Amino acid sequence: MNKTFKYALGLVFTLGTMTSALAQDNFPDAPENHWAYEALGRMKQNGLLMGYPDGLFRGSRPATRYEMAVAIHATYMHLKNITDGLASAIEELKNRPGGGRDFDPSAINAALAQLRKDVDGMKGWGDDIASLKRMASTFEKELASMGVDMEAMKKDMASLNDRVSKLEKNALPITIHGDANFLMMAGGSTSNRFGIGVDGQIFGANGPNAVGMENDFSVFHEAHFKIAGTNDSGPKWWAVMSIGNLLGSPTYGSMSGTAAGANHNDEGNTDIVFDRFVVEFDTSLIGQGFNAKVGRLGYKISPYLYQRPDATPYYKNENWDNHEWTMDGGVFGFNFGSAKLNAFVGRNDGRRSTGGVDINPMMVGAIGPRFVVGGPRPVGLGGGTTIVDQTLGFNLSLPLGEKGGLNLAYLLHGSRQSGLNRVHVFGGDLNWDFGMIKFNAGYAQSNVFQGSTSVVTKQNAAWHAGFGYEAEKWGLNVGFREIQPRFAAAGDWGRIGMWWNPTDIKGVNAKAHFSLSENMSLWASGQWYSGLGKTGASGMGTADKVSSLKVGLDYKVNESWNAMFGIENVEWNLGTLGALNGKPKERWYNIGLGYGMSDNAKLSFLWQISDYDGKATPGFAGRFTGNLLTTQLSIKF
């Protein structure tokens, strides 16, 4: 729109000196290679240029003063219509009802995007309007002879710049954007055996029967609408509404835990939830910078202290992969120079969707081992015994010069249930940059109470330390960690095969990557742990071992396609309890493809083959050799 106006002014200003014809489609005497070819087409369509009675433009002929007046008036009227139309469109959107049967978020979003584009396009019109005013004054007699009301035109021209400025500053009431996702999952059995995923769920099954992909087939759908206000002053607000059939399904449930043993072909009912509804503002308090977020919001600190596990390994979406716990409450930030203290409080339980699904329920407070040889092995995200109803926390971020930082936290989780009803989690993380080498370390501890009585204060900590090195084409990270058997923070410190947030282990972990070429890279990660052998709490002795190795190759085929090949292998060596020993193995082969359909649309495929053998070890299921195909289409708008 603004290009049409600017081209119009440019042609009006130079109409008397143009030396060649312009537009083939619009005027027969115009060549297609002229610099203003496209502009002439738009100008004729908008009524800015009419040509001569014989249909020719006659670009080489100097324009008369009368012809200049015609062009000036046409440009003025076109600009006036634009500003009038935009003002009306904005008012119409402001007065449009926000709900009911006719509510169409996509249509409103498209209209808002176009209006914002049009209003933004008017920036910089001030000089051009001033030039148009001067030209109108110069050709006043010719305009008057055409019947133009010059007094009205002068009045309009005097206020036109103000009108454009007001439209430019007029913030549209809301913006809407988000994403739509379609996930297809099809599982097949092999040798009449089910498959099993890294989340402990079964595929290639229809009830008790081993089936192929045509029978174990499901389609999930989900859309997220982020709605935000556009006011320039005062508190800001935004919300995220999710609609789909993943929330509440046995496969993905509440998006904070996996349902081990469930079938991947189980879908949920279409459900709706506002998983975010936030009001935020900045101000000062007692002379210090202060900001606040209140409403339904998310918060995380670090993996060992407060971070929601990514319980959706086969579904990729920013809304659920952000590792934030959802709560109804507030986060209040205080700035002390370069340091910042966040205090947050909120409800973690009872935030339900229209279908009754609680969003991200949190469990902490394990008092026994999470792994017991001969007993139930924790497949998926389990182990806690206390359902958290509310959380009060403090998080201090303290920069240590330009090289590092210290992150400290103290959290109080409370529950209304009988028995264990309070868990205190505290600790911190340290990061330091030595240049080529980066160091990180951390400590966390979880104390469990029943009323005011301490129940768990020993064997309930986790600590880790590691170094990382990054070169031009390769990188390496090596670390050591120990996670005691009664550690039970609401964190996300990884998995070993299907064992999520493992405890009662200590050992070494490492990651490495190497660029083989501009389009190809090789990566690997490994974990080698043994049991802690803690008296009265451990299910793993110091002689019990578990290792995990992942190796993968990423290849960029071209600008649109990329491929991935990988293998994950987990091996156990258990023998602490005599006859209850064994060497179970877990293995998954992965082949992935990604296709970038556009800047806002991506199609991805994953074919996973499972090869799991419990080796008749108590606590480990038997044999799983099925395969799983997932296809996900994600579109951002």
Side-chain angles (χ1 to χ4, degrees):
M1 179 189 66
N2 67 318
K3 288 184 178 180
T4 300
F5 176 55
K6 284 185 173 293
Y7 280 132
L9 285 174
L11 288 174
V12 167
F13 300 155
T14 59
L15 198 57
T17 58
M18 293 177 63
T19 60
S20 63
L22 298 177
Q24 180 66 36
D25 290 341
N26 302 304
F27 302 101
D29 59 341
E32 294 184 7
N33 60 353
H34 194 277
W35 62 270
Y37 175 81
E38 294 182 0
L40 249 292
R42 288 192 295 270
M43 290 176 67
K44 185 177 181 182
Q45 182 180 3
N46 290 326
L48 301 184
L49 289 177
M50 302 300 294
Y52 289 90
D54 60 2
L56 299 181
F57 180 69
R58 302 188 188 279
S60 60
R61 175 186 175 279
T64 67
R65 290 180 63 87
Y66 180 81
E67 291 166 349
M68 289 288 286
V70 171
I72 292 169
H73 184 257
T75 304
Y76 155 71
M77 291 302 299
H78 183 64
L79 176 59
K80 186 174 183 298
N81 290 336
I82 288 173
T83 56
D84 289 345
L86 278 175
S88 299
I90 291 174
E91 288 303 316
E92 179 185 351
L93 273 178
K94 283 185 175 181
N95 297 326
R96 181 175 294 188
R101 297 175 59 184
D102 297 330
F103 179 65
D104 186 353
S106 61
I108 292 179
N109 185 53
L112 287 170
Q114 184 59 48
L115 278 174
R116 183 171 293 279
K117 180 179 178 181
D118 290 344
V119 172
D120 289 343
M122 292 189 299
K123 294 178 179 179
W125 281 16
D127 292 341
D128 293 331
I129 293 173
S131 297
L132 188 61
K133 288 169 64 178
R134 289 194 298 270
M135 293 186 71
S137 178
T138 301
F139 295 92
E140 182 174 347
K141 291 182 179 180
E142 286 76 15
L143 288 166
S145 68
M146 294 166 46
V148 176
D149 186 344
M150 289 305 299
E151 291 302 320
M153 184 175 181
K154 288 180 181 180
K155 184 178 180 180
D156 283 344
M157 295 286 277
S159 63
L160 197 55
N161 195 47
D162 292 338
R163 295 176 64 193
V164 170
S165 298
K166 289 180 181 179
L167 282 172
E168 193 175 333
K169 295 177 181 178
N170 193 329
L172 300 174
I174 61 171
T175 61
I176 304 176
H177 66 272
D179 56 79
N181 302 274
F182 303 90
L183 176 67
M184 182 276 289
M185 307 184 76
S189 61
T190 303
S191 301
N192 204 36
R193 290 191 291 257
F194 304 148
I196 194 167
V198 296
D199 54 1
Q201 298 196 44
I202 305 299
F203 48 79
N206 191 345
N209 305 312
V211 297
M213 290 186 177
E214 72 280 3
N215 291 322
D216 181 9
F217 177 83
S218 59
V219 177
F220 296 95
H221 60 269
E222 186 172 67
H224 306 100
F225 299 91
K226 182 173 181 179
I227 309 165
T230 59
N231 52 297
D232 293 327
S233 60
K236 311 292 184 182
W237 70 271
W238 58 276
V240 177
M241 180 176 66
S242 300
I243 303 174
N245 66 350
L246 284 95
L247 194 67
S249 69
T251 304
Y252 289 123
S254 63
M255 303 293 184
S256 68
T258 62
N263 291 343
H264 266 292
N265 63 355
D266 292 330
E267 303 162 349
N269 297 322
T270 298
D271 206 352
I272 303 175
V273 66
F274 273 100
D275 45 274
R276 294 290 185 273
F277 214 123
V278 181
V279 176
E280 51 187 314
F281 57 90
D282 298 317
T283 183
S284 61
L285 186 66
I286 318 178
Q288 301 294 329
F290 172 77
N291 59 79
K293 294 182 180 180
V294 295
R296 177 162 294 177
L297 46 85
Y299 196 76
K300 65 179 180 180
I301 299 176
S302 66
Y304 291 90
L305 290 167
Y306 191 72
Q307 181 169 298
R308 180 174 56 83
D310 178 8
T312 59
Y314 299 105
Y315 173 54
K316 301 301 179 184
N317 182 263
E318 297 175 0
N319 201 59
W320 302 119
D321 296 345
N322 57 23
H323 298 287
E324 294 179 345
W325 286 109
T326 302
M327 64 179 178
D328 287 343
V331 178
F332 309 96
F334 302 87
N335 299 316
F336 302 96
S338 58
K340 183 171 184 178
L341 174 65
N342 280 339
F344 60 97
V345 60
R347 283 284 308 275
N348 308 103
D349 183 42
R351 299 133 314 133
R352 301 187 181 277
S353 66
T354 57
V357 179
D358 197 359
I359 311 172
N360 307 155
M362 183 192 305
M363 298 185 70
V364 295
I367 62 170
R370 295 197 182 187
F371 176 88
V372 180
V373 176
R377 187 164 64 96
V379 177
L381 304 169
T385 58
T386 300
I387 299 175
V388 177
D389 291 303
Q390 58 273 330
T391 295
L392 171 64
F394 302 91
N395 179 201
L396 175 64
S397 297
L398 184 64
L400 302 176
E402 298 181 355
K403 296 293 185 179
L406 184 62
N407 190 33
L408 302 173
Y410 194 99
L411 301 102
L412 296 88
H413 301 296
S415 173
R416 294 193 300 268
Q417 70 185 44
S418 59
L420 305 178
N421 55 18
R422 284 196 299 136
V423 179
H424 294 192
V425 178
F426 57 89
D429 300 284
L430 172 66
N431 294 281
W432 195 267
D433 189 348
F434 291 97
M436 297 291 290
I437 298 178
K438 294 178 175 56
F439 171 76
N440 67 86
Y443 175 87
Q445 181 174 322
S446 58
N447 295 338
V448 182
F449 295 81
Q450 182 170 345
S452 59
T453 303
S454 298
V455 177
V456 177
T457 57
K458 296 181 180 180
Q459 300 170 11
N460 60 336
W463 66 271
H464 66 93
F467 289 91
Y469 177 81
E470 286 293 330
E472 182 178 355
K473 291 188 176 182
W474 65 278
L476 176 66
N477 289 270
V478 179
F480 183 91
R481 66 176 180 172
E482 176 180 309
I483 308 170
Q484 296 176 356
R486 292 181 175 178
F487 179 65
D492 176 26
W493 52 90
R495 63 179 177 85
I496 304 172
M498 294 183 294
W499 192 11
W500 293 59
N501 279 357
T503 59
D504 195 18
I505 58 170
K506 67 176 180 179
V508 177
N509 55 81
K511 295 180 180 179
H513 64 86
F514 180 74
S515 297
L516 301 174
S517 69
E518 184 178 354
N519 297 324
M520 186 181 300
S521 61
L522 180 68
W523 56 268
S525 65
Q527 304 176 81
W528 298 270
Y529 300 125
S530 60
L532 295 177
K534 298 291 185 180
T535 304
S538 178
M540 291 182 67
T542 56
D544 295 323
K545 311 290 182 182
V546 59
S547 65
S548 169
L549 180 64
K550 301 177 186 178
V551 179
L553 178 69
D554 294 332
Y555 178 60
K556 183 179 179 181
V557 181
N558 53 42
E559 292 300 321
S560 299
W561 285 95
N562 59 78
M564 180 276 290
F565 309 91
I567 182 173
E568 178 177 350
N569 185 69
V570 179
E571 296 190 2
W572 300 79
N573 188 348
L574 305 171
T576 297
L577 300 182
L580 298 179
N581 58 13
K583 297 182 177 181
K585 293 184 178 181
E586 309 170 25
R587 185 173 297 165
W588 294 272
Y589 302 92
N590 300 299
I591 300 175
L593 286 174
Y595 174 55
M597 304 174 68
S598 69
D599 292 339
N600 298 319
K602 183 178 180 180
L603 184 63
S604 59
F605 305 90
L606 173 66
W607 182 29
Q608 184 176 87
I609 302 171
S610 61
D611 185 4
Y612 178 102
D613 191 349
K615 300 287 187 179
T617 304
F620 290 78
R623 195 89 162 89
F624 296 87
T625 58
N627 54 91
L628 175 69
L629 175 65
T630 70
T631 304
Q632 182 175 340
L633 173 63
S634 298
I635 302 172
K636 294 183 178 180
F637 56 87

